[in-house]
Amino acid sequence: MTQDPLTLYKLIVLFMLDRVNFPLTKAQISDFILQQEYTNFLTLQRVLSDLSDANFVITKVMGNRTLLSITEEGKDTLSYFDNRINIKIKEDIELYLQNNRLELRNEVSIQSNYYKSTSGDYEARLIGKDKETILVDITMSVPTEEIAISICANWNEKNQQIYKYLTEQLF
């Protein structure tokens, strides 16, 4: 029995999401699948859209990232069709997740965004999460967009030191 390639790609995405206990970004999933040359970018975008439309994944937009999580329906579907994913592909996914788990998790756990407020200033919003628990949520009002961009970049680079400093000072 030949398998529809789109079905395989959907199962690969579901398998990836099922193997982590945090959401993955579209970019993270794309990086892996495109790096392995399983399919092309446009096909992958269709696959991700189809999975969302079928309620197999939940998509959540956070700033400039789209986070994906597997739903119970997605898990049920994966368990039923799991045997259609080649063992080598599963091993590639497991190895990728094992080697990149901390980086992948940090990328979705540390969030920063800025926007222009109604007062005309810019607000930089900085968030640190552990799974779904928000550990820190800071909004800073600054006079220029350049400062807001700098704050967001520094948060992405120095969040652990900043969080440590805050807890040492406040606890």
Side-chain angles (χ1 to χ4, degrees):
M1 177 167 122
T2 59
Q3 181 171 328
D4 173 25
L6 288 178
T7 301
L8 176 61
Y9 307 145
K10 290 174 188 177
L11 291 171
I12 290 170
V13 171
L14 292 175
F15 188 82
M16 287 183 75
L17 293 171
D18 189 55
R19 292 302 182 265
V20 293
N21 60 357
F22 52 89
L24 294 174
T25 67
K26 272 189 175 183
Q28 291 169 331
I29 293 169
S30 296
D31 286 347
F32 171 76
I33 290 177
L34 298 176
Q35 180 183 30
Q36 296 295 324
E37 298 181 354
Y38 292 140
T39 189
N40 62 48
F41 181 79
L42 292 176
T43 302
L44 180 58
Q45 295 311 304
R46 177 177 170 200
V47 163
L48 295 173
S49 178
D50 288 352
L51 287 170
S52 182
D53 291 346
N55 294 319
F56 293 156
V57 300
I58 295 172
T59 59
K60 184 176 182 183
V61 177
M62 296 288 292
N64 60 352
R65 299 177 187 157
T66 301
L67 305 176
L68 299 167
S69 301
I70 192 168
T71 64
E72 286 303 317
E73 289 178 67
K75 288 180 182 194
D76 291 345
T77 300
L78 179 62
S79 69
Y80 187 72
F81 294 106
D82 182 62
N83 61 340
R84 293 190 181 186
I85 305 172
N86 180 294
I87 190 70
K88 175 69 173 112
I89 293 173
K90 288 181 181 180
E91 289 171 356
D92 289 344
I93 292 169
E94 294 288 359
L95 183 63
Y96 174 77
L97 293 174
Q98 179 182 348
N99 291 340
N100 298 288
R101 185 171 302 276
L102 187 59
E103 182 180 316
L104 294 169
R105 186 173 185 166
N106 283 345
E107 191 175 323
V108 296
S109 297
I110 303 305
Q111 302 164 7
S112 64
N113 195 11
Y114 73 92
Y115 52 90
K116 192 168 188 170
S117 69
T118 56
S119 68
D121 287 339
Y122 287 84
E123 292 191 0
R125 184 163 185 214
L126 316 171
I127 299 173
K129 297 171 71 174
D130 182 21
K131 297 181 185 169
E132 291 301 313
T133 303
I134 294 177
L135 301 174
V136 64
D137 186 345
I138 302 168
T139 303
M140 297 179 66
S141 187
V142 296
T144 67
E145 183 176 19
E146 291 77 20
I147 294 172
I149 291 169
S150 176
I151 288 171
C152 290
N154 284 330
W155 176 250
N156 290 335
E157 293 297 317
K158 301 177 182 178
N159 59 76
Q160 290 179 341
Q161 298 97 307
I162 295 168
Y163 182 75
K164 181 180 177 188
Y165 174 79
L166 288 173
T167 56
E168 286 172 352
Q169 296 301 309
L170 297 174
F171 296 150

